[in-house]
Amino acid sequence: MALHIHEAWILLFVIPALVSPAAINHEDYPADEGDQTSSNDNLIFDDYRGKGCVDDSGFVYKLGERFFPGHSNCPCVCTEDGPVCDQPECPKIHPKCTKVEHNGCCPECKEVKNFCEYHGKNYKILEEFKPSPCEWCRCEPSNEVHCVVADCAVPECVNPVYEPEQCCPVCKNGPNCFAGTTIIPAGIEVKVDDCNICHCHNGDWWKPAQCSKRECQGKQAL
């Protein structure tokens, strides 16, 4: 019994000596998790405060160096207190802009509607058109329509008419005025009945005609 115990102790001392360090696979014995984290922190998250600046991709910039830190395309300067970035006043985007790019420091409109909409119709930039006989319009580069409405002169008659495709009314029979309920031409005396001769006021067609009684020429009663 004592012999067997002695042999066992000999084996315990001999076997570890036969195992070489190369035979141990270190992957089978992972390092302590805390040690791994500490090692990775030292490699990736170096402290550059007061020495430089780091952008979102991990690139390091020296003090005084100009760079773009990340999603913002506005340039920054690396200082001891960290990046100091430009904050420009960007121009306003046109309300009718259909395509905006953010590749620069300020958003930029790349496409604006190249036509105007007016009463359900589209017109090209600088195109002139007449939506009605009295309107003259133009499609401006701002995609807005500017119109001018014709200012018609007062017609010199009491019965003006509107011709197709014409804006202002016209006096087809020339100037005239009312003599009672009768329309008489201007510029001449008109016998409106057996006793009255009338004429229009010069330039005042809206006034009733001026009439004077003459000797009546009616038939004498039998």
Side-chain angles (χ1 to χ4, degrees), residues 156-159 171 173-178 183-186 200 205-206:
E156 296 181 346
C157 60
V158 294
N159 56 349
C171 296
N173 298 318
N176 55 37
C177 66
F178 276 113
I183 298 176
I184 64 174
C200 296
W205 58 266
W206 61 90

Side-chain angles (χ1 to χ4, degrees), residues 1-8:
M1 182 69 178
L3 179 60
H4 291 295
I5 294 173
H6 180 70
E7 291 175 353

Side-chain angles (χ1 to χ4, degrees), residues 178-193:
F178 276 113
T181 58
T182 304
I183 298 176
I184 64 174
I188 59 173
E189 291 185 341
V190 178
K191 186 176 181 181
V192 295
D193 57 29

